[in-house]
Amino acid sequence: MTETEIHDMFVIGLRNAHAMENEALRMMRPQLPRMERYPAVAAKLEQHIGETEDQIIRLEHILEEMDENYLSVKDMILSFIGATAVMSHAGLGDAVLRDAFADFAFENYEIAAYKSLLTIADAGNFSEAKDALQASLAEEQSMARWLDDNLPLVTQKFLLMWEGDGPLGTQR
């Protein structure tokens, strides 16, 4: 692969990651109201929303340093898909569990994307971008670990509330 091709691939990957992080925000923000009865989950989600906003800024900074634009058609497409996905979860009695499953899957997708970007950064000698990408990777890995560790507890609490309040008890 030529230097130009690696550069172009890196820019595409950065733009894709930018769209991915914006999609993550569109997924997480509507979940907060459903987490009223899950304060630990809500707190972690709020923290990760802040981290995701920082990740977007990091990606924009890297692209700006490369004299590249960070807006893409994928941002618009993923915006529509994300809104559709959020609406498909709204009002369901098991939305808390569905959100947890979707978040866990998405975190692992983000981990894979950042690992790939770091590999391309190495191949193209984009060392100035590596610290920012590594920071984002670490945040995604931390969130994925938290979700992995806490999914059984969230599920247990969900079952207890379901038993006590019926299926509508999780929607408050």
Side-chain angles (χ1 to χ4, degrees):
M1 223 176 193
T2 68
E3 200 174 293
T4 300
E5 290 170 325
I6 292 173
H7 174 273
D8 292 347
M9 185 60 66
F10 190 55
V11 169
I12 289 168
L14 291 167
R15 286 180 180 152
N16 288 344
H18 187 269
M20 170 187 74
E21 294 300 355
N22 277 298
E23 175 59 19
L25 288 178
R26 285 186 287 274
M27 283 176 50
M28 290 185 291
R29 285 181 175 142
Q31 292 176 15
L32 281 173
R34 293 192 289 269
M35 299 302 157
E36 177 182 291
R37 297 174 80 178
Y38 300 83
V41 177
K44 187 64 175 177
L45 195 57
E46 285 179 14
Q47 174 191 339
H48 196 59
I49 287 170
E51 290 171 346
T52 302
E53 291 166 342
D54 291 344
Q55 292 164 5
I56 290 169
I57 292 168
R58 286 184 207 124
L59 290 164
E60 290 173 355
H61 179 72
I62 293 168
L63 284 162
E64 287 168 358
E65 290 294 312
M66 298 176 74
D67 291 325
E68 297 287 346
N69 188 342
Y70 50 82
L71 297 177
S72 71
V73 174
K74 282 188 182 183
D75 278 314
M76 292 181 283
I77 292 170
L78 286 175
S79 174
F80 173 75
I81 292 169
T84 303
V86 167
M87 288 187 302
S88 72
H89 287 240
L92 298 175
D94 64 346
V96 169
L97 291 181
R98 288 176 182 242
D99 289 343
F101 302 161
D103 291 346
F104 184 72
F106 204 77
E107 291 306 319
N108 283 283
Y109 178 83
E110 291 172 307
I111 289 167
Y114 282 113
K115 285 182 176 183
S116 180
L117 279 170
L118 284 161
T119 301
I120 297 169
D122 281 337
N125 294 315
F126 300 111
S127 56
E128 66 283 351
K130 287 184 67 176
D131 287 344
L133 295 173
Q134 191 63 49
S136 294
L137 173 61
E139 291 165 351
E140 299 302 354
Q141 289 170 324
S142 175
M143 184 63 173
R145 265 190 312 278
W146 189 91
L147 288 165
D148 190 38
D149 292 344
N150 286 276
L151 184 58
L153 298 172
V154 170
T155 303
Q156 289 169 353
K157 184 169 184 173
F158 171 81
L159 289 172
L160 288 172
M161 282 193 269
W162 185 281
E163 183 179 275
D165 296 338
L168 297 178
T170 60
Q171 293 181 2
R172 289 187 224 161

